[in-house]
Amino acid sequence: SPIWGKEDMDFVVPQHIPTCFTCIKEDGMTALHVMHAPDPSQPFDLEQIVQYALIFGWPGLENTWQGIAFDFAYRMHWQTLFGFALCQALCATSAAKLVVVRQLVLVMAWPRMYREAVASYNAAFLDQPMVAQYRSHLNLMQVHVPDEMAQNFSDDNALCILLHNQIPLDWVDHTYMYGVVYLEQQFHSPTMSLDIFHEIDDERLQRLSHYSTPPAIP
């Protein structure tokens, strides 16, 4: 299972990075090699995402993949990759997707926030507690937020998405580094107000000092 991938930076195997962007067809003619986008029906096929990200988000290019950490040695941080995959699995493609992802990232970057929400939910619904799904074929429902309602989407809504989809607690813990990298990238872009960033990061640091770094899946 890709969910149990290495938590630290690891080398991507060479065959994931094509050095030739042309191929020979059956008739002997040369054609441009087409790299297809990752299959949306397999959101946790991390190797597929790695290959696509390294081609179209090549280290040094401005076209970066928000939240994913990799370097010029093509080492990929698997925790950040898993956080990216989880957001893609839960967020439908729309103009409001960026807002939804940001709120999910906030939950991921604040240690124990999701655990507190699950505990509150279970206390309120003793007869129907949240049971995390660990099945090989996940039953996930993507969120569709109308563009006109995007600005009203909050971290509470993001928590509801995770709860409704029965996302395991340790999965969200595992995405902590994705949240940190995503916020760090936003800090260096004009899309986030510095006041908002400092407010979010101050809360993250307070939680970090109180709860320590969320454990990664071994």
Side-chain angles (χ1 to χ4, degrees), residues 64-168:
T64 58
W65 284 43
Q66 293 293 313
I68 296 182
F70 57 88
D71 61 18
F72 285 93
Y74 303 108
R75 292 179 300 180
M76 183 77 67
H77 196 291
W78 288 97
Q79 280 180 256
T80 65
L81 188 65
F82 179 68
F84 175 87
L86 183 58
C87 284
Q88 295 302 305
L90 296 175
C91 301
T93 300
S94 68
K97 181 177 180 177
L98 181 60
V99 176
V100 178
V101 169
R102 283 181 181 174
Q103 294 302 324
L104 284 172
V105 165
L106 186 150
V107 173
M108 296 171 178
W110 284 359
R112 294 193 66 86
M113 186 179 190
Y114 181 51
R115 289 182 175 272
E116 292 170 359
V118 172
S120 297
Y121 177 89
N122 290 343
F125 300 96
L126 295 175
D127 56 337
Q128 292 182 323
M130 195 283 281
V131 179
Q133 55 171 326
Y134 284 100
R135 298 184 294 271
S136 57
H137 297 286
L138 303 178
N139 181 24
L140 299 179
M141 182 176 293
Q142 287 192 326
V143 59
H144 295 260
V145 178
D147 297 346
E148 62 274 12
M149 297 179 61
Q151 297 306 315
N152 296 324
F153 192 87
S154 67
D155 53 299
D156 287 335
N157 298 126
L159 288 168
C160 287
I161 293 172
L162 296 169
L163 278 164
H164 180 79
N165 283 285
Q166 300 171 273
I167 302 301

Side-chain angles (χ1 to χ4, degrees), residues 12-21 50-51 54-55 58 73-74:
V12 179
V13 292
Q15 58 261 35
H16 286 170
I17 311 169
T19 57
C20 180
F21 289 90
V50 164
Q51 185 181 30
L54 288 175
I55 293 174
W58 199 269
Y74 303 108

